[in-house]
Amino acid sequence: MSQQDRSAGWAAYYTQLRDRPPRKTALAALDRFGTPPDGALAIDLGCGDGRDVVEIVRRGWSVVAVDSEPTALQQLAARDMPGAERITPVLSRLEDVPLPLGVLWVNSSFAMPLCEPAKFHALWLRIAEELPAGGRFSGQWYGPRDSWVGREGMTFLSRKEAEHLLEGFEIEMFEEEEADRVTPRGNPKHWHIFHILARKR
Ligand SMILES: C[S@@+](CC[C@H](N)C(=O)[O-])C[C@H]1O[C@@H](n2cnc3c(N)ncnc32)[C@H](O)[C@@H]1O
C-alpha cells in the first residue's frame, strides 16, 4: 500500500469514527487515577483525531499527542474543546518518540501493534522502565488469532507473551476479546484483542 493510500485510509477512518466515545481502557485509567495531580502528564501514542485526548484533557491532564499521520493532528487541532492548550501534538512514529520527562500515563488505543516486533519490544522496554511507580499503561495489543497476523510491520503477542511483558505491573484490566466484525473500512475481520490497563508497581 502506498503512503498516499494509507493516509487516505486513515482520513476516512477518522471521519467515520468521529463521534465515538473514548476507549474503555482510557476511561478506566482516568477513573483509577482519579483527580490528577498538578501538572499530570500523559502521552497518547497513535492518538488519531483525539478520541481519547478530548477526555484526557477534559479531566485536567496535559497530554503529548503522537501520531504519524498529519491529518490526525490537523483534525485534533480542529476540535473545539476546553483544555486544548494542554495538548502538545507531535508528528512522529510512536516507536521513535521519546517519552516526555515526568510522564505518568502512557495510553495507546489500537495503535501499538502497528509497529514491527523489534520496535514494539524496544518501545515497551522504555515504557516499562521510564514510567514511575504508580504510573499506568492503557491500550490494546493484538493476539495470535487476529486475522491480520502476518502483515508486515505489525506485532502480535500470545496471551502468555503479553502477560510476561506486564510483569512488574499490577493488572487492573486484561480482557481478551475475539470477535468477527467488519472493520471501519468495511472489511470482514477476526479480531483478537487484549484490552489492557496496568499500573507499575
Ligand atoms: C486504529 S487508529 C486508533 C486511533 C485512536 N487511538 C483511537 O483509539 O481511535 C491508529 C492510529 O495510529 C496511527 N499510527 C499507526 N501506526 C503508527 C505509528 N507507527 N506511529 C504513530 N502513529 C501510528 C494512525 O495514523 C492512526 O491514527
Side-chain angles (χ1 to χ4, degrees):
M1 191 191 288
S2 71
Q3 184 52 48
Q4 206 175 7
D5 288 348
R6 202 187 312 272
S7 294
W10 282 125
Y13 174 93
Y14 308 138
T15 303
Q16 192 171 353
L17 301 190
R18 177 107 193 127
D19 297 319
R20 297 278 178 94
R23 304 290 184 177
K24 65 179 174 184
T25 37
L27 287 174
L30 284 163
D31 290 347
R32 292 270 184 164
F33 276 116
T35 305
D38 276 354
L41 179 62
I43 186 167
D44 190 357
L45 298 173
C47 62
D49 69 343
R51 182 171 177 165
D52 293 343
V53 169
V54 171
E55 185 65 10
I56 294 170
V57 293
R58 196 184 73 77
R59 303 255 197 130
W61 289 74
S62 296
V63 61
V64 176
V66 180
D67 206 285
S68 53
E69 282 297 326
T71 311
L73 299 184
Q74 282 156 12
Q75 295 201 11
L76 173 61
R79 282 184 186 259
D80 182 18
M81 59 175 149
E85 70 283 358
R86 281 183 272 108
I87 301 170
T88 304
V90 176
L91 181 66
S92 171
R93 292 192 63 84
L94 58 89
E95 58 271 39
D96 296 337
V97 78
L99 298 183
L101 203 63
V103 71
L104 186 56
W105 172 23
V106 177
N107 182 61
S108 184
S109 298
F110 289 90
M112 250 184 97
L114 302 173
C115 72
E116 63 179 75
K119 293 191 171 181
F120 177 102
H121 287 282
L123 170 63
W124 177 251
L125 261 185
R126 287 196 287 120
I127 293 172
E129 271 174 26
E130 293 177 31
L131 270 180
R136 287 186 167 87
F137 169 77
S138 54
Q140 283 69 27
W141 294 346
Y142 291 165
R145 291 184 292 282
D146 195 279
S147 51
W148 285 345
V149 160
R151 280 195 182 189
E152 207 181 327
M154 287 190 66
T155 299
F156 302 86
L157 302 167
S158 67
R159 185 179 177 118
K160 210 170 162 187
E161 286 167 330
E163 287 171 344
H164 176 66
L165 291 184
L166 291 164
E167 281 169 10
F169 284 74
E170 178 194 336
I171 306 301
E172 297 177 317
M173 180 193 297
F174 191 99
E175 290 180 15
E176 184 168 358
E177 179 186 2
E178 285 203 53
D180 292 306
R181 284 197 293 269
V182 174
T183 68
R185 298 180 196 185
N187 302 314
K189 175 176 190 286
H190 183 76
W191 292 94
H192 187 191
I193 308 169
F194 302 120
H195 300 274
I196 297 165
L197 173 61
R199 180 177 185 271
K200 191 165 164 190
R201 291 184 209 281

